[in-house]
């Protein structure tokens, strides 16, 4: 950067928001010009997007449905990142949670009022089980959780594919790579928006309160910042690492349970829809604040929702994926550039750390 | 039985080569302190560009070259955002992957599902290729395979560990502030390392479509880029081990194929989980056995952290 600029170590939320908005604007302009060059009227598409996302009741419902899993997978990644642990396996834990919930939802015989809480607990536990090995290996052996959690994603998606095409395959309608409709589903509260949306919102708020007020929240933060100091202060480092990762897996598992029982209603291949990986994006966008996961999930949900709208306008899913990538890149750059400001005082005196 | 084993082994070497090449590229980028999660996307672009190119000029080497240029260019765009502008590396990497997978599908529409007109043909090494079992697997492959397993890892190792530039590059990954203080151009070296990694990722894509699975279809890279990133950590950021781990992954995958061929009473999808579970075991078991390994395999100290001169 030029000599006249200085990098802020703490960036005010308003600057970040402006930086991201500018990034988004640049990406939208690039996409618009490209579409215009391909003979598609960009302004018409823009009105279509706005009308079908934030401009109509159905659009807002869809947005809420996209936000739901993103808030939880975002939270799952965020609790780890907060203490320097990278759970790249939210996708796998999401599937694990969905499988457990589907097992109960497909084969259970109890009334919905008993079964739904059971599915939620099952989903959370399955997510925890799915991360248990990487978590234990990280906590006691120091094995990088990045690789082990990532590799288990592929295993989970293969198992879901196996279940959905094999033993649990739908024999009624013969849908491809899908189970039958679960017998119970989350009650819908507002149009297509089910109770899972509010549950996810509540989970993020509860998590923020829990981490900022509990002893565990404090200890794990210390462990993340400086394990040696934590050990010196008598904190159980390994146990804290284990618990943080289990919590992370549980949140992702809950996301899977909510998605399968509230939105999709069937266990199918591709159910996770990259929500686990996008959770990483949401967590990074939220930066240090847990509550910021909510607007971050809204932004990501908006991008995904826009993608679906573009697909209805005959723009291929692949082109939409490329556009998503471009937008994410632009936001990342806008995010970083928002940290640069004209110094109020001369740069020489602004000794800062980041 | 012998023919089956030999065939599987050869396929393991061939398909392991794709991972080895991509992992080698990522080793270089990560040694300079940059996590490039765009490998999957760069491989996709390389794979499709290679096919498009050989449809114009039916020579696999021209296809490979085009794929390398495309991979390098894609990585350069990533480095402009993540290194020069210092945006979040993970975010930019995932974005590059999405961009690459999406663009490759759009570009490859005209050639999707069509046979590739020119591919790398196996060249048998006289004598050695006659060896039972390992002969066909290791000494009757295409030239790329020999390059990947015999020549490139040596070159990469010498470059990173035996040259001044390699030392500078690793210094930039360990402690960019110190490197900057002694006059090493941090940003330039990081961009260079990322582009070198992208060139190899593009080549890995070309290897996939011009040698392993000679046809382009959407999403055909199917996670190989992510596996390559995982193998880098598994290999402790060492070029030689990264290449070997690609081979190992190919071998475990081959066991699954053997199960299918021999009619083991296990669903194919379950057999396909073997390489992933096998890799996890290979990561955890040695650390249990040799706790000292942990330090030797540690990541570069400044991996993933953008360098701000003002924060020095």
């Amino acid at each position: 950067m030029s000599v006249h600029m200085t990098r802020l170590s703490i960036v005010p939320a308003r600057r970040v928001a402006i930086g991201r908005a500018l990034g988004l604007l640049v990406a939208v302009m690039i996409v618009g010009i490209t579409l215009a060059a391909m003979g598609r009227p960009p302004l018409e598409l823009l009105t279509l997007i706005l009308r079908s996302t934030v401009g109509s009741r159905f659009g807002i419902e869809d947005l809420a449905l996209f936000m739901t899993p993103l808030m939880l997978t975002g939270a799952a990644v965020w609790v780890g990142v907060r203490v320097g642990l990278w759970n790249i396996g939210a996708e796998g834990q999401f599937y694990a949670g969905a499988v457990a919930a589907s097992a109960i939802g497909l084969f259970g015989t109890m009334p919905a009022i008993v079964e739904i809480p059971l599915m939620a607990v099952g989903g959370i536990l399955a997510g925890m089980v799915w991360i248990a090995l990487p978590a234990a290996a990280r906590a006691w052996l120091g094995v990088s959780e990045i690789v082990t959690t990532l590799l288990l994603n592929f295993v989970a998606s293969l198992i879901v594919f196996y279940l959905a095409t094999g033993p649990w395959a739908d024999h009624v309608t013969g849908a491809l790579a899908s189970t039958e409709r679960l017998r119970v589903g989350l009650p819908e509260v507002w149009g297509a928006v089910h109770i899972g949306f509010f549950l996810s919102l509540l989970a993020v708020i509860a998590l923020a309160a829990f981490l900022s007020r509990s002893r565990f929240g404090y200890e794990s933060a210390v462990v993340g910042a400086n394990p040696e100091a934590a050990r010196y202060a008598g904190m159980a480092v390994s146990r804290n690492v284990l618990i943080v990762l289990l919590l992370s897996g549980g949140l992702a598992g809950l996301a899977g349970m909510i998605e399968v029982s509230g939105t999709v209603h069937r266990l199918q291949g591709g159910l996770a829809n990259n929500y686990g990986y996008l959770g990483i994006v949401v967590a990074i966008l939220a930066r240090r604040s847990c509550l910021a996961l909510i607007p971050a999930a809204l932004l990501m949900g908006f991008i995904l929702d826009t993608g679906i709208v573009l697909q209805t306008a005959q723009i291929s899913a692949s082109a939409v994926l490329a556009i998503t990538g471009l937008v994410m890149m632009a936001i990342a750059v806008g995010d970083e550039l928002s940290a640069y400001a004209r110094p109020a005082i001369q740069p020489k005196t602004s000794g800062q750390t980041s | 039985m012998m023919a089956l084993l030999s065939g599987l082994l050869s396929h393991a070497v061939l398909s392991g080569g794709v991972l080895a090449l991509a992992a080698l590229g990522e080793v270089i980028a990560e040694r300079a302190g940059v996590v490039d999660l765009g490998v999957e996307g760069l491989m996709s672009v390389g794979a499709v560009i290679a096919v498009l190119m050989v449809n114009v000029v039916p020579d696999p080497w021209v296809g490979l070259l085009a794929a390398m240029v495309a991979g390098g260019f894609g990585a350069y765009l990533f480095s402009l955002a993540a290194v020069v502008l210092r945006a979040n590396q993970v975010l930019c990497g995932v974005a590059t992957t999405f961009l690459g997978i999406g663009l490759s599908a759009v570009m490859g529409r005209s050639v999707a599902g069509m046979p590739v007109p020119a591919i790398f043909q196996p060249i048998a090494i006289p004598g050695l290729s006659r060896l039972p079992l390992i002969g066909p697997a290791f000494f009757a492959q295409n030239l790329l395979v020999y390059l990947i397993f015999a020549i490139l890892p040596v070159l990469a190792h010498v470059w990173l560990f035996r040259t001044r530039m390699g030392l500078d590059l690793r210094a930039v990954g360990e402690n960019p502030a110190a490197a900057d203080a002694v006059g090493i151009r941090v940003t330039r070296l990081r961009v260079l390392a990322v582009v070198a990694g992208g060139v190899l990722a593009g080549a890995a894509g070309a290897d996939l479509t011009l040698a392993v699975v000679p046809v382009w279809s959407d999403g055909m890279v199917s996670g190989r880029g992510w596996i390559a990133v995982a193998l880098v950590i598994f290999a402790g950021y060492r070029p030689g081990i990264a290449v070997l781990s690609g081979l190992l992954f190919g071998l475990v995958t081959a066991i699954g194929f053997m199960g299918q061929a021999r009619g083991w009473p296990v669903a194919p999808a379950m057999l396909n989980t073997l390489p992933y579970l096998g890799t996890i075991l290979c990561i955890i078991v040695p650390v249990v056995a040799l706790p000292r390994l942990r330090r030797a395999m540690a990541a570069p100290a400044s991996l993933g952290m953008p360098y701000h001169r003002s924060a020095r």
Side-chain angles (χ1 to χ4, degrees), chain B residues 150-172:
Chain B
I151 298 171
L152 285 178
V154 177
L155 286 180
H157 184 88
V158 170
W159 184 40
L160 287 175
F161 296 95
R162 293 283 180 272
T163 66
R164 178 59 198 259
M165 196 184 188
L167 180 68
D168 289 355
L169 192 147
R170 286 182 295 125
V172 160

Side-chain angles (χ1 to χ4, degrees), chain A residues 222-237:
Chain A
V222 176
V223 166
N226 189 340
E228 287 311 313
R231 200 168 282 125
Y232 187 70
M235 296 173 185
V237 173

